[in-house]
């Protein structure tokens, strides 16, 4: 007897994300096209409501890249619900770059309200990963700190004077 519980393929998961992203755009474009070409008032109102209800997904996908910690986590483990993860579209928070922002539900998506939380808490919501793996992912992808390799003495002195004071 074979089971599929241990046959997770991250490449297939990324393919699913790519297909979902493409499908969201195609469906939005088709509704928009039908909406602009419609002459029946009842059908126009229905298409307008459908267009307005779904355009937030396209807006989020096109406005922000997916958070790099999500890409790394998908390579390690299967998300509990990849469709929900896709619809939330987690990205780097614009206010605090060390946090993750996501769209909690459709109503908040229509109002352009993103929920901000810590990267570790968000990973715990969507992935079955051990604490030490989450800690490593957060330290690698969830920090607003940057590092840069320098090669010349002038660059070293410049960054020494303008770098952290601790």
């Amino acid at each position: 007897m074979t089971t599929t519980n241990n046959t997770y393929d991250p490449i297939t998961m990324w393919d699913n994300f790519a297909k979902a992203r493409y499908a969201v755009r195609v469906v939005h474009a088709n509704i928009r096209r039908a909406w602009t070409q419609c002459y029946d008032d009842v059908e126009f109102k229905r298409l307008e409501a459908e267009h307005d209800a779904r355009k937030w997904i396209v807006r989020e996908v096109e406005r922000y890249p997916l958070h790099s910690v999500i890409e790394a986590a998908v390579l390690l483990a299967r998300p509990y619900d990849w469709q929900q993860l896709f619809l939330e579209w987690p990205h780097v928070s614009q206010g605090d770059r060390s946090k993750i922002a996501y769209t909690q539900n459709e109503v908040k998506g229509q109002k352009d309200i993103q929920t901000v939380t810590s990267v570790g808490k968000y990973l715990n919501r969507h992935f079955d990963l051990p604490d030490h793996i989450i800690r490593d992912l957060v330290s690698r992808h969830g920090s607003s700190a940057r590092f840069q390799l320098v090669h010349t003495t002038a660059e070293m002195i410049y960054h020494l004077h303008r770098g952290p004071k601790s």
Side-chain angles (χ1 to χ4, degrees), residues 53-114:
R54 300 286 189 254
K55 69 181 178 183
W56 67 270
I57 300 169
V58 177
R59 179 192 68 228
E60 293 301 310
V61 167
E62 290 179 354
R63 190 187 316 178
Y64 304 110
L66 194 65
H67 199 292
S68 62
V69 76
I70 301 302
E71 296 176 21
V74 165
L75 292 176
L76 296 174
R78 179 191 308 267
Y80 294 130
D81 183 359
W82 75 267
Q83 293 94 343
Q84 182 65 32
L85 182 66
F86 176 81
L87 288 175
E88 289 180 358
W89 199 258
H91 57 276
V92 175
S93 171
Q94 300 305 301
D96 182 357
R97 306 219 26 102
S98 66
K99 303 246 184 218
I100 197 165
Y102 66 97
T103 305
Q104 214 169 26
N105 54 41
E106 191 168 348
V107 173
K108 288 188 176 184
Q110 291 169 355
K111 293 179 181 178
D112 198 10
I113 298 171
Q114 279 76 43

Side-chain angles (χ1 to χ4, degrees), residues 27-36 43-60 103 105-112:
V27 167
H28 180 71
N30 289 342
I31 291 172
R32 188 172 168 189
R33 186 177 307 109
W35 177 54
T36 58
E43 183 67 8
F44 181 81
K45 291 288 186 191
R46 186 190 69 77
L47 287 170
E48 182 179 35
E50 191 172 347
H51 175 263
D52 290 343
R54 300 286 189 254
K55 69 181 178 183
W56 67 270
I57 300 169
V58 177
R59 179 192 68 228
E60 293 301 310
T103 305
N105 54 41
E106 191 168 348
V107 173
K108 288 188 176 184
Q110 291 169 355
K111 293 179 181 178
D112 198 10

